[in-house]
Amino acid sequence: MPSVFRSAALAGAALLSAHAAQASTVVLNNWAFGRGNNVHAVQSAYEDAAGGFTGKLDGKDLLSYCVELSQDFDWKTSYTNYTDQTALAYFGAASDKALKLARLVSYAYYDSTVHVSTAAQSTSMQLAVWNVIYDVDYALSSGTFADTSAYAAYASSLLKASQSFVNVANVWILASPTQQDQLHWDRVSVGRSSNAQTAVAVAEPGSLALALAAIGVAAAALRRRG
């Protein structure tokens, strides 16, 4: 077992941005780049290995990072109690964590130069993810989540570089009541907005039709009043 930290327009916009959580089967098989490296998170007293994981999500390849400061999981065990949801839904619309995480993974994995491709960099990426979730600054040297390991400096550089980076990622959280929650993502397709932003993505045809119908009903009601 890995030791891991554990008006009609508004109505239409809400309809388009809503994401129904989906039940998923998750298997985490190994560290993403061969191994995890020990970190030293001061406030949470975490002194153990950290890094990304590889596995399967509903049979498809999965790359993920820890979300929580508690709970754990067993390698190569199939868990069917995960729910996949947008990071925006998971953290709430009042939080900026979803957007920060989306910018972080966009910079780390979708920049012209990939910035996370080794075991050491993956450990730093995990620290950066935790810092976004449990702190408000962009540095591992201070704040409510700080780390004194050799991986903290690169984690801070990832955070700082991602602050103003163009977001091109959809971010998701696999949430379980008993196992470690996991962050994963995919790249935004052409013509769509990220699900981490409050800006509404280009609607699916069915959703767009419903939204337009709602707006049409409201407009008709206004005409009757006039």
Side-chain angles (χ1 to χ4, degrees):
M1 175 186 296
S3 179
V4 291
F5 263 141
R6 319 269 194 262
S7 153
L10 291 176
L15 176 63
L16 294 181
S17 61
H19 174 80
Q22 301 175 2
S24 299
T25 299
V26 175
V27 181
L28 296 171
N29 292 321
N30 211 331
W31 297 102
F33 296 96
R35 61 172 182 159
N37 295 284
N38 285 350
V39 297
H40 312 289
V42 181
Q43 286 82 349
S44 55
Y46 181 79
E47 301 274 338
D48 217 317
F53 306 122
T54 57
K56 296 289 183 179
L57 168 58
D58 295 329
K60 297 179 180 179
D61 289 340
L62 172 68
L63 171 62
S64 67
Y65 285 91
C66 297
V67 171
E68 297 173 297
L69 294 174
S70 60
Q71 298 186 326
D72 56 13
F73 60 86
D74 292 320
W75 290 128
K76 301 182 180 182
T77 299
S78 180
Y79 294 105
T80 58
N81 63 346
Y82 274 94
T83 301
D84 202 16
Q85 58 191 281
T86 66
L88 188 62
Y90 183 90
F91 293 110
S95 172
D96 62 355
K97 297 184 191 300
L99 183 55
K100 285 182 176 179
L101 288 169
R103 286 175 173 163
L104 177 61
V105 298
S106 294
Y107 175 73
Y109 287 95
Y110 300 131
D111 189 17
S112 57
T113 300
V114 175
H115 299 283
V116 177
S117 58
T118 68
Q121 291 170 346
S122 181
T123 298
S124 295
M125 179 67 177
Q126 177 63 86
L127 288 174
V129 168
W130 281 330
N131 192 85
V132 169
I133 296 171
Y134 298 106
D135 209 338
V136 295
D137 62 12
Y138 288 90
L140 272 294
S141 58
S142 61
T144 55
F145 183 85
D147 184 83
T148 60
S149 71
Y151 309 98
Y154 192 65
S156 294
S157 74
L158 291 173
L159 287 166
K160 290 175 182 177
S162 69
Q163 286 185 62
S164 57
F165 194 75
V166 176
N167 173 25
V168 294
N170 288 313
V171 283
W172 313 87
I173 305 293
L174 287 161
S176 165
T178 54
Q179 275 72 54
Q180 175 77 49
D181 291 357
Q182 299 290 315
L183 166 73
H184 70 112
W185 62 90
D186 56 46
R187 186 156 190 167
V188 174
S189 59
V190 175
R192 291 181 178 272
S193 298
S194 166
N195 66 10
Q197 296 169 301
T198 53
V200 179
V202 175
E204 297 294 335
S207 297
L208 181 59
L210 287 172
L212 291 175
I215 294 170
V217 169
L222 289 173
R223 283 198 299 272
R224 284 197 296 273
R225 284 198 204 104

